[in-house]
Amino acid sequence: MAASSNSSLSGSSVSSDAEEYQPPIWKSYLYQLQQEAPRPKRIICPGEVENRPKYYGREFHGIISREQADELLGGVEGAYILRESQRQPGCYTLALRFGNQTLNYRLFYDGKHFVGEKRFESIHDLVTDGLITLYIETKASEYISKMTTNPIYEHIGYATLLREKVSRRLSRSKNESRKTSVANEEHTAVEKVHTFRGPHWCEYCANFMWGLIAQGVRCSDCGLNVHKQCSKHVPNDCQPDLKRIKKVYCCDLTTLVKAHNTQRPMVVDICIREIEARGLKSEGLYRVSGFTEHIEDVKMAFDRDGEKADISANIYPDINIITGALKLYFRDLPIPVITYDTYPKFIEAAKISNADERLEAVHEVLMLLPPAHYETLRYLMIHLKKVTLNEKDNFMNAENLGIVFGPTLMRSPEDSTLTTLQDMRYQKLIVQILIENEDVLF
């Protein structure tokens, strides 16, 4: 196998100290192999084929045998045809010439063409990507197997941020309360298969990410781009990149607090501060709705301006607009404050008839919440307790607030109307218990 050729194709410094940081050298060997890979050559059927599927072109040759397909390909590297199986009518096969042999793949279509995990808009793209993969894996199998042994990950900005966080975490007292550790909590990064437009290099191993589509994965928190096989070696405890968080509403709660390095989402802090400053005595607080149009304005203000959003009485004199915006924030969370994982346990706890045992069960489930969710719920319950202390003015007790916040803070993982209706009284009861016992439970 040819030795790897290292070429500095890209890279930029993330440190002001040139002695500590040098831009990574992106390795070009796999890129060169992709350029050398055979190009697809479509073998057209000379006649019209009856019952040709509408999503196949003239590369479809109808019902023919493997031997006939082999003859049609003529030993030309990259040549391909489509055929219908003789043994299984209605099943289709891609016959592709590679490595001096004819390879046959079962072909599927569900709006896009595929033979494996990747979906393609056209057969031509599928074959192109397949030839690249076959060529690289044939020529560089040993090289690929060793790609992760000398990673550059430790020398780029993502790992620098991670090391700083680990150092801070280790320096904290072991007895430090979980209430102050939210911003540094461990959070499993969400890695999604990604199609990169133009040449891209893996930010773990520095090698080229080959193929036409779905060449690797991208972390939705920090934006790290890596090969799928390299992603297994990257620590999950990444640092979200503020540039990638385009909005406040509808953003994962943990991701948001990590990106802003806060204990709770700023929306919760700002809205509760405003409500407590001028709205605790407002009749029907949280039960009365503000104008939907104005609530959407507040949402857009947070998404656009973040913590600089102005929700003062000068702009929104009706406090119900602010309470509406806070409730909307909780409803829009992709994972509710009371997470899908803990939801069934909370419902089971609510069904316990003995009050002391029920309270203990609720406390045990609370400990299972992710730190950011726990802290947000704790802060909200302290606030709602203050609301109930003004019940003679606002007419909102813990039970009333439970009715409002039950379905807002907790949603069944089952998308079932019947389950939702059956659980409503338990949702209300859980929130009521949390408010009435916030000083004991948190």
Side-chain angles (χ1 to χ4, degrees):
M1 182 177 67
S4 170
S5 171
N6 292 342
S7 173
S8 183
L9 299 177
S10 60
S12 58
S13 176
V14 294
S15 170
S16 58
D17 190 340
E19 294 181 359
E20 288 186 10
Y21 179 81
Q22 293 296 324
I25 303 296
W26 302 116
K27 302 169 186 176
S28 63
Y29 176 54
L30 298 180
Y31 176 74
Q32 291 168 0
L33 288 183
Q34 174 159 313
Q35 298 301 101
E36 297 169 7
R39 298 294 183 260
K41 301 173 183 67
R42 184 173 70 146
I43 305 300
I44 294 173
C45 182
E48 192 62 39
V49 179
E50 288 186 15
N51 301 320
R52 182 181 71 192
K54 61 182 180 181
Y55 40 82
Y56 295 145
R58 294 188 62 191
E59 68 275 9
F60 182 74
H61 288 249
I63 300 178
I64 59 173
S65 66
R66 288 192 174 205
E67 292 74 22
Q68 288 173 304
D70 197 35
E71 286 181 25
L72 287 168
L73 294 174
V76 179
E77 283 288 281
Y80 72 94
I81 66 167
L82 307 182
R83 64 183 180 86
E84 187 172 357
S85 172
Q86 285 184 321
R87 297 175 184 175
Q88 295 178 288
C91 294
Y92 303 100
T93 298
L94 165 68
L96 174 65
R97 193 73 185 172
F98 177 81
N100 297 319
Q101 60 180 322
T102 299
L103 307 174
N104 291 277
Y105 298 95
R106 180 78 176 273
L107 190 59
F108 301 92
Y109 181 80
D110 63 356
K112 291 189 177 182
H113 304 278
F114 62 100
V115 296
E117 292 181 358
K118 293 185 179 183
R119 262 68 171 169
F120 297 86
E121 296 290 345
S122 69
I123 292 293
H124 183 272
D125 286 351
L126 184 153
V127 175
T128 302
D129 187 85
L131 288 169
I132 290 170
T133 301
L134 286 168
Y135 189 78
I136 287 177
E137 290 181 353
T138 300
K139 294 284 187 180
S141 59
E142 185 181 350
Y143 182 89
I144 290 170
S145 69
K146 296 179 179 178
M147 283 195 313
T148 60
T149 58
N150 188 26
I152 63 163
Y153 180 80
E154 291 296 325
H155 308 295
I156 60 177
Y158 303 99
T160 303
L161 288 167
L162 179 59
R163 284 197 299 273
E164 289 172 358
K165 288 201 316 168
V166 169
S167 298
R168 290 198 300 270
R169 187 184 300 131
L170 292 175
S171 67
R172 292 201 308 266
S173 167
K174 291 182 180 178
N175 297 321
E176 185 176 6
S177 167
R178 70 178 289 168
K179 297 177 186 177
T180 60
S181 65
V182 174
N184 298 302
E185 72 182 88
E186 295 212 1
H187 171 57
T188 301
V190 180
E191 293 171 341
K192 296 181 179 178
V193 174
H194 190 77
T195 293
F196 299 94
R197 303 300 177 190
H200 265 73
W201 274 256
C202 175
E203 292 167 327
Y204 182 82
C205 72
N207 280 288
F208 179 65
M209 301 170 77
W210 66 88
L212 280 193
I213 68 167
Q215 303 96 328
V217 297
R218 167 175 286 174
C219 176
S220 59
D221 282 355
C222 67
L224 185 72
N225 302 317
V226 294
H227 292 112
K228 192 173 182 180
Q229 60 266 45
C230 290
S231 68
K232 300 171 186 175
H233 301 275
V234 178
N236 281 330
D237 190 15
C238 65
Q239 177 70 34
D241 184 347
L242 272 174
K243 295 192 296 293
R244 297 188 180 278
I245 297 177
K246 305 298 184 185
K247 54 189 176 181
V248 173
Y249 279 67
C250 303
C251 178
D252 175 68
L253 194 156
T254 298
T255 298
L256 189 68
V257 300
K258 283 188 67 178
H260 290 271
N261 197 29
T262 57
Q263 289 184 286
R264 299 171 297 274
M266 103 270 287
V267 178
V268 177
D269 279 2
I270 294 172
C271 285
I272 285 178
R273 193 159 56 239
E274 191 68 23
I275 293 162
E276 292 186 354
R278 60 183 173 101
L280 285 178
K281 297 182 184 297
S282 178
E283 184 176 337
L285 189 68
Y286 286 112
R287 179 178 55 79
V288 176
S289 299
F291 286 113
T292 302
E293 195 175 307
H294 294 164
I295 292 171
E296 285 293 326
D297 286 345
V298 174
K299 173 183 175 179
M300 285 191 291
F302 277 117
D303 282 342
R304 183 184 63 245
D305 304 325
E307 61 187 15
K308 295 180 181 178
D310 186 357
I311 61 168
S312 66
N314 293 333
I315 308 297
Y316 302 105
D318 182 4
I319 198 63
N320 297 312
I321 294 169
I322 310 305
T323 59
L326 181 59
K327 289 187 292 182
L328 179 62
Y329 171 75
F330 289 130
R331 286 198 302 271
D332 278 355
L333 285 173
I335 300 175
V337 175
I338 291 177
T339 62
Y340 292 123
D341 288 343
T342 59
Y343 180 90
K345 296 180 178 68
F346 274 109
I347 296 298
E348 288 305 310
K351 293 178 180 179
I352 297 173
S353 55
N354 182 280
D356 291 337
E357 292 178 5
R358 183 171 58 215
L359 194 64
E360 182 61 32
V362 169
H363 181 261
E364 287 178 5
V365 185
L366 275 174
M367 295 299 102
L368 301 177
L369 287 173
H373 289 248
Y374 176 92
E375 170 58 22
T376 300
L377 188 62
R378 182 192 71 83
Y379 191 73
L380 177 63
M381 292 305 116
I382 292 173
H383 164 66
L384 294 182
K385 186 68 171 282
K386 293 178 184 176
V387 174
T388 64
L389 295 177
N390 290 273
E391 181 189 352
K392 65 182 179 63
D393 295 305
N394 60 37
F395 302 104
M396 295 299 289
N397 58 26
E399 183 178 3
N400 292 336
L401 290 169
I403 294 171
V404 173
F405 277 95
T408 301
L409 298 177
M410 53 195 305
R411 301 192 295 272
S412 171
E414 299 177 26
D415 189 14
S416 165
T417 304
L418 180 61
T419 302
T420 302
L421 291 172
Q422 290 173 338
D423 289 353
M424 281 183 69
R425 63 192 179 110
Y426 299 117
Q427 293 173 348
K428 180 212 75 170
L429 182 57
I430 287 295
V431 174
Q432 183 179 342
I433 290 169
L434 294 175
I435 295 171
E436 291 174 341
N437 300 279
E438 58 82 17
D439 55 333
V440 175
L441 289 172
F442 294 96

